[in-house]
Amino acid sequence: MIFRHLFLIPIGIALAAEVPAAEPYLAWRAEPASVPEPLGGLKGDAQRGRAVAANQAQGNCLACHPLPIPEEPFHGEIGPPLAGVGSRLPAVGIRLWVINARLIKPDTIMPAFYLDPKEIYRSDDDHAGRTLLSAQQVEDVVAYLATLK
Amino acid sequence: MIRFLVLLLIPLSLWAGPKSGYEYLTPESRAIQDDDFQNPGMSAVEEGSKLFHAQGEEGHSCATCHGEGGAKLDPRRIAAYPVFGKAQGKPVTLRDRVHICWEERLGNFPLEFDDKNALYLETFVRHLARGEPVNVDVSAELKPFYEMGEKLYRTRLGQFGMTCYHCHDQYPGRKMRAQPLSEGQTNGFPTYRLGSGKVTSLGDRLNECMVSLRAARFEHDSEDYRNLEVYLNARGNGLKIETPAVRY
């Protein structure tokens, strides 16, 4: 465990986390620019979503995107700033970005946070068979971004 | 016509050739690398020098064949690694060469691939070529290995599903959280790492990138990393060797 901390901190993309128990993967359906239905019919919570976006062991959206989360230092410079994203995109569009940005931009660096684990190549043992975020975390993050008007 | 020329010039001016990780360091970190007395990586060079001059099982040392201090080793040949090994039928990295000489020429007991003595010897030998431009010839036998290495470089890996190409070709110079990304060049290896305080082999560095992708690591001694090293070194052709470079 100490070994993983040493390596992960300098890279900053993913802090070692207690890995949550694997959940059954829920299928979803994409339209060209959206995922119209919430995953598993779950309701997102914007307050929790803000924490997921900032948490280095969860969404860690901050690794790449500047976000209006002033108490966190070091926002990344890889993706576009997400302030105002709720005015640019409808919630169903944000959901597709978070679930699988590759369906919008095939070559994107942005991780697919709810990819069918069968499509993941060479996961390490700790994360095999798991999505990056749980279905509830995806819905929470979507709810949070939708409030960024 | 003029429009066409202007269009042609824009991409040319953007591509300034490969850039060493050195260029992404702070002035303070560069100063540590620039001064051999301050650079902690030099201790690995010294350890390597001792091993280079130590007698092996069959009574001679590396220096017996390669000269005192490696005087008979040609920096241009060191800068050409990995080379194609006819006997092996595959790429031979500088690390492989150290192992081959250690076992076959000196008759010593084999070293594990991540043995620190092998790391010290590699650091000593590559340091002999400091300042020499990397020059890997991938036009002939190494070509298929280079291509396999490039394929791996562009494969989405691990739960994060990013590729080497994403971080090191698309976003060098940008920060991921607090960490600035570089081109992921190999001209400084083995490198001294300010974060861990250790001299680090290329294989260990690649494994750190794999861990950050939550990807299963490859063995140091795997064909995958050997091919990747061919690709990475050739990608940095022209960069001056900086071993032991100082990096984060």
Side-chain angles (χ1 to χ4, degrees), chain A residues 10 54 63 77 107-108 121-122, chain B residues 158 166 174-175 177 179 216-217:
Chain A
E77 309 168 341
D107 189 32
T108 190
Y121 174 59
R122 268 192 96 80
Chain B
H166 280 122
R174 306 257 205 114
K175 282 190 183 138
R177 279 261 175 169
Q179 174 71 63
R217 286 170 273 181

Side-chain angles (χ1 to χ4, degrees), chain A:
Chain A
M1 218 47 198
I2 290 173
F3 162 82
R4 303 188 59 215
H5 272 275
L6 268 180
F7 284 157
L8 289 168
I9 288 167
I11 301 229
I13 172 80
L15 266 185
E18 317 79 58
V19 180
E23 290 178 1
Y25 172 72
L26 306 174
W28 43 273
R29 183 180 56 86
E31 303 218 323
S34 71
V35 174
E37 307 297 335
L39 290 174
L42 294 164
K43 189 167 162 27
D45 176 279
Q47 205 52 40
R48 280 198 312 251
R50 188 178 187 275
V52 171
N55 187 324
Q56 296 197 36
Q58 297 178 0
N60 201 12
C61 315
L62 272 183
C64 295
H65 293 280
L67 275 157
I69 305 185
E71 71 276 18
E72 287 286 335
F74 308 126
H75 297 205
E77 309 168 341
I78 311 280
L82 294 178
V85 70
S87 321
R88 291 197 296 278
L89 292 171
V92 290
I94 294 174
R95 186 176 292 119
L96 179 57
W97 272 103
V98 176
I99 288 181
N100 187 353
R102 295 175 211 167
L103 293 181
I104 300 165
K105 209 176 161 217
D107 189 32
T108 190
I109 186 174
M110 178 161 153
F113 286 92
Y114 203 78
L115 189 66
D116 185 342
K118 287 202 284 291
E119 288 179 48
I120 298 175
Y121 174 59
R122 268 192 96 80
S123 179
D124 62 16
D125 290 345
D126 285 354
H127 301 94
R130 291 158 199 269
T131 52
L132 274 167
L133 291 181
S134 70
Q136 184 64 58
Q137 287 170 331
V138 169
E139 291 306 323
D140 292 345
V141 164
V142 171
Y144 165 59
L145 292 198
T147 66
L148 302 180
K149 301 277 185 188

Side-chain angles (χ1 to χ4, degrees), chain B residues 21 49 86 107 124 200 203 241:
Chain B
S49 173
K86 289 218 166 53
F124 170 75
T200 305
I241 290 178

Side-chain angles (χ1 to χ4, degrees), chain B residues 20 33 126 185-192 200 240-247:
Chain B
S20 167
Q33 176 173 323
R126 202 147 189 257
Q185 295 291 354
T186 52
N187 57 311
F189 278 89
T191 57
Y192 175 78
T200 305
K240 291 194 167 116
I241 290 178
E242 295 174 19
T243 310
V246 171
R247 297 287 186 266

Side-chain angles (χ1 to χ4, degrees), chain B residues 44-117:
Chain B
V45 174
E46 277 155 35
E47 290 300 320
S49 173
K50 281 184 213 153
L51 290 162
F52 192 87
H53 295 92
Q55 237 177 48
E57 292 297 323
E58 287 172 8
H60 45 261
S61 69
C62 310
T64 315
C65 292
H66 300 301
E68 270 304 293
K72 290 194 215 152
L73 284 170
D74 180 350
R76 275 169 308 179
R77 293 190 44 126
I78 294 169
Y81 273 81
V83 297
F84 182 74
K86 289 218 166 53
Q88 293 79 5
K90 64 179 186 191
V92 171
T93 65
L94 196 56
R95 177 67 78 97
D96 289 326
R97 180 64 73 214
V98 166
H99 283 273
I100 294 168
C101 286
W102 182 265
E103 288 169 39
E104 294 178 11
R105 304 274 165 70
L106 301 190
N108 285 339
F109 195 75
L111 297 171
E112 294 288 331
F113 216 74
D114 60 357
D115 189 287
K116 67 181 186 321
N117 288 329

